[in-house]
Amino acid sequence: MAAEMALVKPISKFSSSSPKFSNPRYAKFTSSVKMSATSPPTTKPRKKAAKTAIKETLLTPRFYTTDFDEMETLFNTEINKNLNQSEFEALLQEFKTDYNQTHFVRNKEFKEAADKMQGPLREIFVEFLERSCTAEFSGFLLYKELGRRLKKTNPVVAEIFSLMSRDEARHAGFLNKGLSDFNLALDLGFLTKARKYTFFKPKFIFYATYLSEKIGYWRYITIYRHLKANPEYQCYPIFKYFENWCQDENRHGDFFSALLKAQPQFLNDWKAKLWSRFFCLSVYVTMYLNDCQRTAFYEGIGLNTKEFDMHVIIETNRTTARIFPAVLDVENPEFKRRLDRMVEINQNLIAAGESQDIPLVKNLKRIPLIAALGSELLAMYLMPPIESGSLDFAEFEPQVVY
């Protein structure tokens, strides 16, 4: 989410009418994504859509694959006696209800709002839609394949994955329709074939995907509540859909909680604690660095980027502490100080890469900056963690989160 927003006054703090924050201190590598540029309605025959390439970076949403044979073993009811099929069956009924079946219905407000956006504001919004669509489509592909591969081994879990892929496809399609308001569209077929896939072992898929779904919930619900309280910043109607949309993310995260509980070996030893902290750090730092490159987006909707991110990180961390055996102490002031230091280093790294120096000089400038980033990451990882986690969830937990 990025670019420069003009003519909109940023706010340095959440106003009293903004969502109440519980912590008072804070109120891949290069490839290409094809987009088709569509033209406004005209009486002349429309020419074939042109394709443009959008650069990706290390912080761009990735596509994932995993060891599907191991997944089949993990969810084989004859091998794994920890599988609570009744819990999965209850979750399946929840997904079958499909609360948002008729929610994602567009109206004329979308195109009208897009037509009013010009200059940097328009540019940043296109990037927001493109990145969001890519992330949702990534989830669709992974969940669809898991649903297909687990069909014989565990039909209930397989159907849940298939229904989650339905949700992700619906989100991606809605975002791609949003791009059409700006006379663009992602070529999702090309994206499927051309994108590089990152391999994660199943347990890493569980950690990373649980976090991504829960952090998605907190991002969406925070933006929705803020804009509901401050409608003057409602520049595009997609945000009005975030209240129901984030519940899809929340249900997906709850399903991954159940998957982790069904594999206690991923939660109950010292290695699980180390990996839990590692994935928390990776997700939080990636979001913070990404968003701080795109402060204009958040300022354009009346948010302070760093305050917004810290709120999302703190709430996600508290939610994650219910299942992960250890989490980071993100409410320690040192954590935010190091995040801000990483933002400065990352800005210098970007400036070095964009300089007019020859490649050798650029690389020499990057080396100490990359080392400094690594040093900050290690220091954050080695901060005393918070011991947490429980294999027994309280029955009232969904009400706490919703």
Side-chain angles (χ1 to χ4, degrees):
M1 303 178 183
E4 212 176 306
M5 283 198 177
L7 306 178
V8 181
K9 182 181 178 182
I11 58 175
S12 58
K13 295 181 179 179
F14 287 92
S15 65
S16 60
S17 59
S18 298
K20 304 299 181 185
F21 290 177
S22 51
N23 189 311
R25 287 181 301 195
Y26 313 106
K28 170 130 185 195
F29 310 109
T30 303
S31 63
S32 64
V33 178
K34 282 192 178 179
M35 295 186 73
S36 57
T38 61
S39 303
T42 176
T43 54
K44 296 181 180 179
R46 183 177 294 177
K47 294 182 180 179
K48 187 176 181 180
K51 303 292 182 181
T52 58
I54 295 178
K55 284 188 178 181
E56 299 179 49
T57 69
L58 191 61
L59 298 180
T60 303
R62 303 182 188 183
F63 282 15
Y64 294 97
T65 187
T66 190
D67 185 336
F68 294 103
D69 292 334
E70 183 181 345
M71 280 286 193
E72 290 182 33
T73 301
L74 290 174
F75 294 106
N76 188 315
T77 53
E78 296 181 3
I79 297 174
N80 187 352
K81 303 302 181 182
N82 291 310
L83 293 173
N84 186 342
Q85 285 299 108
S86 61
E87 182 175 11
F88 289 132
E89 287 167 3
L91 283 166
L92 176 58
Q93 293 308 311
E94 182 83 358
F95 281 100
K96 280 184 174 179
T97 302
D98 196 6
Y99 297 100
N100 289 331
Q101 184 177 12
T102 60
H103 178 61
F104 295 95
V105 179
R106 288 162 48 85
N107 55 46
K108 65 179 183 178
E109 288 183 52
F110 283 82
K111 184 61 178 172
E112 290 173 354
D115 289 341
K116 291 178 183 177
M117 290 189 200
Q118 299 300 327
L121 174 57
R122 189 178 181 89
E123 180 183 343
I124 192 174
F125 224 88
V126 166
E127 185 182 352
F128 156 67
L129 292 171
E130 181 268 323
R131 288 175 62 84
S132 300
C133 183
T134 301
E136 297 285 354
F137 190 65
S138 169
F140 158 72
L141 291 175
L142 177 64
Y143 297 159
K144 180 182 179 182
E145 184 62 15
L146 283 167
R148 187 182 71 82
R149 293 292 295 265
L150 296 174
K151 191 171 292 186
K152 292 182 179 179
T153 305
N154 193 319
V156 174
V157 170
E159 189 171 359
I160 294 175
F161 273 119
S162 296
L163 293 175
M164 289 202 305
S165 74
R166 169 206 67 195
D167 295 343
E168 301 290 298
R170 187 179 285 157
H171 300 165
F174 196 64
L175 288 158
N176 213 11
K177 280 287 188 181
L179 280 167
S180 71
D181 296 328
F182 297 85
N183 304 318
L184 293 165
L186 271 176
D187 187 339
L188 298 177
F190 170 85
L191 199 61
T192 305
K193 297 174 184 177
R195 191 66 173 270
K196 292 182 179 179
Y197 287 71
T198 300
F199 177 85
F200 268 5
K201 290 176 66 66
K203 68 176 180 180
F204 300 151
I205 288 287
F206 295 161
Y207 294 142
T209 311
Y210 170 84
L211 278 166
S212 70
E213 297 287 2
K214 287 299 183 181
I215 208 167
Y217 167 83
W218 282 111
R219 287 172 67 87
Y220 284 0
I221 196 61
T222 302
I223 290 173
Y224 173 81
R225 288 170 179 168
H226 164 70
L227 292 177
K228 186 177 181 181
N230 301 276
E232 68 272 20
Y233 290 106
Q234 189 79 254
C235 59
Y236 188 70
I238 199 167
F239 299 118
K240 297 177 182 179
Y241 291 74
F242 275 14
E243 184 178 34
N244 286 38
W245 192 327
C246 73
Q247 299 305 342
D248 283 343
E249 312 294 328
N250 202 37
R251 280 186 283 271
H252 295 181
D254 289 344
F255 173 59
F256 277 98
S257 294
L259 294 186
L260 282 164
K261 287 193 294 180
Q263 309 296 335
Q265 71 274 20
F266 296 160
L267 297 172
N268 62 6
D269 62 12
W270 62 272
K271 289 184 290 185
K273 291 182 178 181
L274 294 179
W275 282 119
S276 294
R277 288 160 54 199
F278 171 81
F279 278 97
C280 284
L281 184 62
S282 300
V283 170
Y284 300 161
V285 168
T286 298
M287 182 186 77
Y288 203 83
L289 294 184
N290 252 326
D291 288 355
C292 285
Q293 289 180 39
R294 300 165 169 83
T295 56
F297 177 86
Y298 300 96
E299 290 172 354
I301 57 174
L303 292 170
N304 177 292
T305 307
K306 290 182 178 181
E307 290 182 6
F308 166 73
D309 273 17
M310 284 310 302
H311 169 68
V312 170
I313 287 171
I314 288 169
E315 295 299 339
T316 302
N317 203 60
R318 290 175 178 175
T319 302
T320 301
R322 298 172 188 161
I323 182 67
F324 280 19
V327 294
L328 304 172
D329 186 6
V330 300
E331 296 179 61
N332 184 329
E334 182 186 352
F335 185 83
K336 185 176 186 301
R337 281 198 297 269
R338 293 193 178 278
L339 278 178
D340 290 337
R341 174 62 180 148
M342 290 186 72
V343 170
E344 295 176 10
I345 297 169
N346 192 50
Q347 288 171 344
N348 292 334
L349 194 58
I350 292 170
E354 294 176 347
S355 70
Q356 299 302 313
D357 296 324
I358 62 173
L360 176 61
V361 174
K362 283 185 180 182
N363 290 333
L364 289 174
K365 287 183 176 179
R366 285 182 180 135
I367 291 172
L369 295 170
I370 292 172
L373 277 177
S375 176
E376 293 295 336
L377 277 170
L378 182 61
M380 294 167 78
Y381 185 75
L382 294 177
M383 287 174 61
I386 296 175
E387 299 290 322
S388 60
S390 172
L391 294 182
D392 299 317
F393 276 14
E395 291 182 1
F396 56 81
E397 179 188 349
Q399 283 71 34
V400 174
V401 178
Y402 281 46

